[in-house]
Amino acid sequence: QVQLVESGGGLVQAGGSLRLSCVASGLTVSRLTMGWFRQAPGKEREFVAVQQRFAGAPVYADSVQGRFTISRDNVKNTGYLNMNSLKPEDTAVYYCGAVGRTGLSRRPDDYDFWGQGTQVTVSS
């Protein structure tokens, strides 16, 4: 059974940090392009970061560049999103997505697998 499970969200003050995890089962993380997206209430799902399969160079949204870092641990079959210097506007449900193709897509429709999401709330 193919499954992605996110964790690590929570409530943090502005300027704080969180690390989100995305554990994959039924899939091999090293062979996946993995992306992180977020969705705030009343808004569309928004691209945050993507890393190509086989640990290619990552790409970030301008709004998180220099603050967020996408990575993966192939032994743990897990993807990560390290978030530093968090701002209230980062508040959203964060989702990891995966697809078994090479690419740096910012479009949610290009991803085949999704986790259930984890809530990140940043207070001012």
Side-chain angles (χ1 to χ4, degrees):
Q1 181 181 0
V2 173
Q3 195 172 19
L4 298 175
V5 178
E6 299 103 333
S7 62
L11 174 63
V12 64
Q13 288 188 334
S17 300
L18 286 172
R19 186 176 80 160
L20 305 184
S21 300
C22 177
V23 179
S25 57
L27 300 168
T28 301
V29 162
S30 63
R31 297 180 178 273
L32 298 171
T33 289
M34 296 190 74
W36 287 91
F37 292 75
R38 64 189 182 187
Q39 190 165 17
K43 295 188 177 181
E44 294 185 350
R45 193 164 296 193
E46 174 190 32
F47 167 76
V48 174
V50 59
Q51 183 181 42
Q52 289 195 82
R53 60 182 186 168
F54 308 120
V59 171
Y60 299 94
D62 289 344
S63 59
V64 307
Q65 180 76 48
R67 299 188 298 122
F68 291 11
T69 304
I70 188 172
S71 64
R72 65 183 70 193
D73 184 328
N74 293 335
V75 174
K76 295 182 178 180
N77 214 36
T78 300
Y80 299 100
L81 184 69
N82 284 284
M83 306 186 296
N84 298 317
S85 302
L86 283 162
K87 304 175 181 180
E89 51 263 43
D90 294 320
T91 295
V93 177
Y94 283 71
Y95 298 89
C96 67
V99 60
R101 295 186 297 275
T102 299
L104 292 168
S105 177
R106 298 174 181 235
R107 299 175 60 245
D109 288 348
D110 289 337
Y111 291 77
D112 294 331
F113 307 104
W114 290 96
Q116 82 289 351
T118 185
Q119 176 71 47
V120 171
T121 303
V122 184
S123 63
S124 57

